[in-house]
């Protein structure tokens, strides 16, 4: 069975974006350093948007993921950049009860998010990448099998949290840690069996 993997950058205090919810890539708290780019290109090249893949000469299927899931806020970051499908190399699903698709290759899921994810996990293929945002991650928390957190050595005090919603307790066990030269720690956790 495929895993749902929440692979995302976060601050030390658990935020994935600033208070405005805009694209955090390259912000002072999420600098795009050569070691971070090298890590992504080596381990998760499919998580780069289409234009970045083209600029870096990356082609072909994903190594870990063949599907990307995102909430409306995350999707709108791509729309603001003129991309109706920022990940044309992946199957792309956007979870929103109000959005209509601007691209025939992007599936809009307007209800039963948990059931849709369970159906996706039961299909053959590579793992599912949950790119964000915090509200969607919170709603799908019972189905998240793995967390891969690119923890930046920054504190911002407020913003979009890693999980935005009511209290839910779930346990994850650390399975890997890589520290990059810039101080970014890539932390991997798998859901604990009793969770």
């Amino acid at each position: 069975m495929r895993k749902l993997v929440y692979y995302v950058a976060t601050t030390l205090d658990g935020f994935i974006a600033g208070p405005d919810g805009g694209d955090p890539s390259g912000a002072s708290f999420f600098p795009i350093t050569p070691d971070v780019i090298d890590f992504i290109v080596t381990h998760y090249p499919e998580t780069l948007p289409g234009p970045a893949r083209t600029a870096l000469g990356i082609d072909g299927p994903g190594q870990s993921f063949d599907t990307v899931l995102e909430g409306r806020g995350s999707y709108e970051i791509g729309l603001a950049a003129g991309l109706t499908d920022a990940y044309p190399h992946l199957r792309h699903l956007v979870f929103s009860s109000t959005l209509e698709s601007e691209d025939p290759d992007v599936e809009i899921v307007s209800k039963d998010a948990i059931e849709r994810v369970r159906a996706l996990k039961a299909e053959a293929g590579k793992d599912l990448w949950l790119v964000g945002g915090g509200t969607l991650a919170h709603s799908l928390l019972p189905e998240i099998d793995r967390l891969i957190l690119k923890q930046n050595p920054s504190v911002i005090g407020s913003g979009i949290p890693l999980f935005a919603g009511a209290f839910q307790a779930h346990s994850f066990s650390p399975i890997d840690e890589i520290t990059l030269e810039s101080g970014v720690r890539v932390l991997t956790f798998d859901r604990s069996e009793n969770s």
Side-chain angles (χ1 to χ4, degrees):
M1 180 178 276
R2 305 204 282 178
K3 291 184 172 116
L4 177 60
V5 180
Y6 190 18
Y7 168 75
V8 66
T10 180
T11 60
L12 290 173
D13 51 348
F15 295 103
I16 61 172
D20 66 355
D23 185 359
S25 302
S28 62
F29 55 93
F30 286 154
I32 301 173
T33 54
D35 60 331
V36 171
I37 293 171
D38 288 345
F39 174 84
I40 295 169
V41 168
T42 301
H43 298 281
Y44 301 103
E46 66 271 31
T47 65
L48 292 165
R53 287 170 55 90
T54 299
L56 293 168
I58 298 170
D59 196 11
Q63 294 179 16
S64 299
F65 309 115
D66 61 13
T67 302
V68 59
L69 313 177
E70 63 182 332
R72 180 183 181 140
S74 296
Y75 181 63
E76 286 181 337
I77 291 171
L79 289 178
L83 301 171
T84 58
D85 185 358
Y87 305 101
H89 50 284
L90 299 173
R91 182 178 179 187
H92 195 161
L93 290 84
V94 176
F95 292 74
S96 171
S97 60
T98 58
L99 189 68
E100 292 187 18
S101 180
E102 295 191 28
D103 191 302
D105 292 326
V106 176
E107 177 186 338
I108 304 297
V109 180
S110 60
K111 58 184 179 177
D112 301 324
I114 290 277
E115 291 307 313
R116 185 68 182 107
V117 168
R118 286 179 180 155
L120 289 167
K121 287 170 72 172
E123 294 174 1
K126 295 179 180 173
D127 288 340
L128 312 169
W129 170 37
L130 173 57
V131 67
T135 302
L136 178 61
H138 181 270
S139 70
L140 296 179
L141 184 51
E143 289 300 316
I144 294 175
D145 302 292
R146 175 170 284 172
L147 302 171
I148 303 174
L149 307 177
K150 294 174 288 185
Q151 187 184 56
N152 285 256
S154 57
V155 173
I156 62 172
S158 68
I160 307 298
L162 191 60
F163 295 96
F167 177 81
Q168 283 189 57
H170 294 264
S171 297
F172 290 82
S173 301
I175 63 165
D176 191 36
E177 179 177 335
I178 299 169
T179 301
L180 304 179
E181 186 177 315
S182 60
V184 172
R185 293 189 316 151
V186 182
L187 307 171
T188 303
F189 300 85
D190 277 351
R191 178 174 290 280
S192 299
E193 289 186 22
N194 59 354
S195 182

